[in-house]
Amino acid sequence: MKRRLTAILAAAALPLVVASVLLGIRPAAAASLTQVTGFGTNPTNLNMYMYVPNNVAARPALLVLVHYCGGSASAIFNGNGHDFVTAADRYGYIMVLPEATRSEKCFDVSTAAGLKRNGGSDSTGIMSMVAYARQRYNIDPGRIAVSGFSSGAMMTNVLAAQYPDVFTAASAYSGVPAGCFATTNGSLWNSQCSGGQLIKTAQQWGDQARAMYPGYTGRYPRIQLWHGTTDTTLAYPNYGEEIKQWTNLNSLSQTPAYTDHPQSSWTRTRYGGTGNQAPVEGISISGVGHQLPMTGQLAYAITFLGLDGTSTNPTPTPTPTP
């Protein structure tokens, strides 16, 4: 009787054991875009969002992804920046997404405060976000990158110019040179720059960027620049002016070391190198307006920024305290 009772109890317990095993192997909750508050100095009241994939690399890269005018962190995360998200899941890097809260939802790349290192505008708040991420994760200092679209591309140029000791690479889709959008009347819009009418020498553009971090003599980030030839929002001549600026900052000739056509409508030029991580790379898209990035283009940025591998760059100097 006792043996029979034991068998009955064992049979009754079996479904519970099976259920507990099944519950134990359920997949972990999916990673999601998460807002962070209290991240540090934030003079212009930006919002900070982070994406930390389920499987973070032991030494992860960090990508700062900056949205366009009228956009938001969630819009770029779920929209035309989403290939960066799926790549983060694959390669284990961490993402920081700043969000502008002023009515136009544009970033300040125009005011004197916005165009100065630790000047007290949007770039200052974004660097607080970078510092927050670095304090909490074992970020590879040789793979801290920034990318952005339109207003975010303009901020990408500015951040790379102001904090060249922090960022190792940048990728800007439809932007303008750092400092091109400067204004003196408090406006965040510069029609002369947006219309492609600000034409300067490479040295002048380089000096304008260097003035954002006076006294700095170290290396500048490698940068990838994208532009559509029929862009009427941030006119196409800005593309050539960006190349002037960044070849000057990287002490390079404006004559390409390499030219090819990855797609029939694309012309890609590389300066100072011929590989996938040349110091300056430009990609001009014929017949396309202000609608970058388009399908498949972020894959080129992921490789250029070094998000798909380990660091091959010299370690930059540590982030200074603001």
Side-chain angles (χ1 to χ4, degrees):
M1 179 69 179
K2 184 178 179 181
R3 186 177 300 170
R4 184 180 174 194
L5 182 59
T6 302
I8 290 170
L9 290 173
L14 185 59
L16 297 176
V17 173
V18 172
S20 64
V21 169
L22 290 174
L23 287 171
I25 61 171
R26 283 190 308 179
S32 60
L33 185 66
T34 305
Q35 186 168 6
V36 176
T37 57
F39 52 85
T41 305
N42 184 24
T44 51
N45 196 34
L46 300 177
N47 290 331
M48 174 184 178
Y49 289 84
M50 283 189 75
Y51 181 69
V52 180
N54 285 335
N55 298 308
V56 176
R59 191 78 160 147
L62 175 65
L63 172 65
V64 178
L65 180 59
V66 194
H67 68 72
Y68 42 86
C69 271
S72 65
S74 62
I76 197 171
F77 181 88
N78 294 304
N80 55 354
H82 195 70
D83 283 353
F84 278 135
V85 181
T86 54
D89 290 333
R90 179 176 180 183
Y91 299 114
Y93 61 81
I94 289 167
M95 297 176 64
V96 163
L97 294 91
E99 183 177 84
T101 57
R102 59 181 59 87
S103 58
E104 307 91 341
K105 301 294 189 294
C106 301
F107 289 93
D108 176 14
V109 291
S110 303
T111 69
L115 294 174
K116 180 182 177 184
R117 180 185 176 94
N118 303 327
S121 190
D122 290 355
S123 58
T124 300
I126 292 172
M127 294 313 294
S128 295
M129 300 178 196
V130 171
Y132 177 96
R134 295 184 73 177
Q135 287 161 8
R136 283 157 182 77
Y137 297 94
N138 188 32
I139 301 294
D140 181 350
R143 291 193 299 148
I144 299 178
V146 56
S147 184
F149 315 155
S150 190
S151 177
M154 295 193 279
M155 178 56 78
T156 294
N157 277 269
V158 166
L159 288 170
Q162 288 181 1
Y163 299 92
D165 53 340
V166 176
F167 293 102
T168 49
S171 180
Y173 289 82
S174 308
V176 304
C180 183
F181 243 60
T183 58
T184 54
N185 61 359
S187 169
L188 296 187
W189 189 261
N190 183 321
S191 297
Q192 191 180 13
C193 177
S194 66
Q197 297 162 353
L198 271 182
I199 307 299
K200 300 185 181 185
T201 66
Q203 185 68 42
Q204 287 172 326
W205 281 125
D207 289 346
Q208 191 161 354
R210 281 183 283 267
M212 297 180 190
Y213 184 11
Y216 178 72
T217 57
R219 64 113 187 100
Y220 278 83
R222 66 180 183 273
I223 193 164
Q224 182 187 62
L225 304 163
W226 297 74
H227 224 104
T229 62
T230 59
D231 192 332
T232 56
T233 302
L234 296 172
Y236 183 66
N238 283 303
Y239 170 70
E241 301 305 293
E242 285 177 296
I243 288 175
K244 287 183 193 176
Q245 184 174 66
W246 287 98
T247 51
N248 181 265
L249 288 171
N250 283 284
S251 302
L252 301 173
S253 165
Q254 291 177 58
T255 302
Y258 178 86
T259 302
D260 72 345
H261 303 275
Q263 294 189 21
S264 60
S265 61
W266 298 16
T267 299
R268 177 169 61 184
T269 49
R270 290 172 172 164
Y271 304 81
T274 60
N276 288 335
Q277 294 183 349
V280 177
E281 178 175 273
I283 304 172
S284 170
I285 315 292
S286 179
V288 167
H290 197 70
Q291 60 204 76
L292 303 182
M294 299 169 72
T295 303
Q297 291 178 353
L298 293 187
Y300 292 84
I302 289 161
T303 297
F304 181 85
L305 297 173
L307 299 175
D308 58 355
T310 55
S311 175
T312 55
N313 304 296
T315 301
T317 52
T319 311
T321 357

